[in-house]
Amino acid sequence: MKGLNLSVFGYFFEGLMQYFAEPVGRIFGPDDDNYPRTGVQPFDGDTYAETVETL
């Protein structure tokens, strides 16, 4: 019977670390939002006239 191939475990561990490191990097990394700075916009729509009854 052959011994365990440690390179397989190293490959698995490397993939596992990458699996967890990428989301952590996105959560704690700099923002990548490219939205324009518009500030607070006034509401120009119509309000909903009907009321909802709760039971």
Side-chain angles (χ1 to χ4, degrees):
M1 185 164 133
K2 287 187 174 182
L4 294 174
N5 188 354
L6 294 180
S7 66
V8 172
F9 290 115
Y11 180 74
F12 173 75
F13 184 72
E14 181 180 334
L16 186 64
M17 289 302 294
Q18 183 177 1
Y19 179 78
F20 286 109
E22 287 180 3
V24 169
R26 284 198 43 90
I27 291 170
F28 295 107
D31 292 335
D32 57 358
D33 300 333
N34 294 324
Y35 303 117
R37 291 175 107 19
T38 56
V40 178
Q41 300 294 318
F43 179 72
D44 290 334
D46 297 328
T47 58
Y48 189 66
E50 295 182 28
T51 60
V52 177
E53 294 182 22
T54 58
L55 298 177

